[in-house]
């Protein structure tokens, strides 16, 4: 493992821990050259289904892209990185368990919105406003009313 500070290739593992699902190993390492510490994560690489975009293109699953979208939606909200990682882990397991080689990206978006609704209402609305591409305020208000359980009326 290359040291991110000095680039030296020799280091030693100081501490190793598994996450609570026993799917990720977190290792604290110390560089033999500069003695600085850094953290690495090891996870089992599994094949994720290809995503079918709205225009029919196929795209490989990109965990980082999903995490970034969730981070933007949850910015300045009381949602921890641990909660986001746990949510994406469960989403990946769910998609793998479907056993499909290809899935529509719309399915992933809906699953993300369902999960965000449970995590944080404001983050859900932020994500939904981008994902659903509301054309005007009335569509946005209808989504909010639906979320709050009120009647779906359009503003005058």
């Amino acid at each position: 493992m290359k040291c991110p500070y000095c680039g030296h290739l020799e280091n030693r593992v100081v501490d190793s821990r598994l996450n609570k699902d026993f799917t990720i190993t977190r290792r604290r390492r110390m560089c033999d050259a500069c003695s600085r510490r850094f953290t690495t994560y090891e996870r089992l690489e599994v094949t994720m289904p290809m995503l079918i975009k709205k225009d029919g293109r196929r795209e490989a699953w990109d965990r980082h892209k999903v995490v970034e979208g969730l981070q933007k939606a949850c910015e300045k909200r009381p949602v921890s990185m641990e909660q986001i990682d746990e949510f994406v882990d469960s989403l990946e397991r769910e998609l793998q368990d479907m056993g499909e080689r290809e899935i529509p990206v719309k399915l992933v978006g809906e699953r993300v919105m369902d999960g965000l609704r449970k995590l944080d209402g404001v983050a859900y609305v932020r994500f939904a406003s981008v994902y659903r591409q509301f054309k005007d305020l009335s569509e946005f208000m209808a989504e909010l009313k639906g979320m709050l359980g009120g009647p779906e009326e359009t503003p005058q």
Side-chain angles (χ1 to χ4, degrees), residues 42-83:
E42 295 175 16
R43 80 174 65 235
L44 179 64
E45 190 172 319
V46 291
T47 306
M48 292 295 294
M50 291 291 287
L51 302 177
I52 305 168
K53 304 290 273 184
K54 291 177 188 176
D55 63 4
R57 287 180 298 122
R58 272 33 179 194
E59 188 175 285
W61 169 261
D62 184 354
R63 178 187 175 91
H64 184 71
K65 196 172 177 180
V66 176
V67 170
E68 276 185 340
L70 290 169
Q71 285 176 321
K72 286 178 186 170
C74 296
E75 194 171 310
K76 297 183 182 178
R77 300 297 307 154
V79 179
S80 69
M81 267 311 296
E82 184 177 333
Q83 288 174 292

Side-chain angles (χ1 to χ4, degrees), residues 73-140:
C74 296
E75 194 171 310
K76 297 183 182 178
R77 300 297 307 154
V79 179
S80 69
M81 267 311 296
E82 184 177 333
Q83 288 174 292
I84 290 172
D85 283 335
E86 286 174 4
F87 173 68
V88 176
D89 288 344
S90 70
L91 176 64
E92 286 180 334
R93 279 192 303 274
E94 183 182 345
L95 296 177
Q96 289 166 352
D97 290 347
M98 291 173 68
E100 300 292 329
R101 294 182 71 196
E102 297 181 330
I103 55 171
V105 75
K106 182 178 181 175
L107 178 78
V108 176
E110 294 298 326
R111 293 291 202 290
V112 168
M113 289 203 323
D114 289 344
L116 271 177
R117 184 179 286 150
K118 295 170 189 161
L119 274 179
D120 185 84
V122 172
Y124 165 77
V125 171
R126 287 177 179 168
F127 186 88
S129 68
V130 173
Y131 178 74
R132 294 242 169 99
Q133 298 175 338
F134 298 129
K135 292 172 186 63
D136 57 30
L137 187 58
S138 63
E139 289 182 9
F140 189 76

Side-chain angles (χ1 to χ4, degrees), residues 137-153:
L137 187 58
S138 63
E139 289 182 9
F140 189 76
M141 291 303 292
E143 181 71 29
L144 280 174
K145 287 179 182 176
M147 183 184 155
L148 297 172
E152 292 192 26
E153 298 172 11

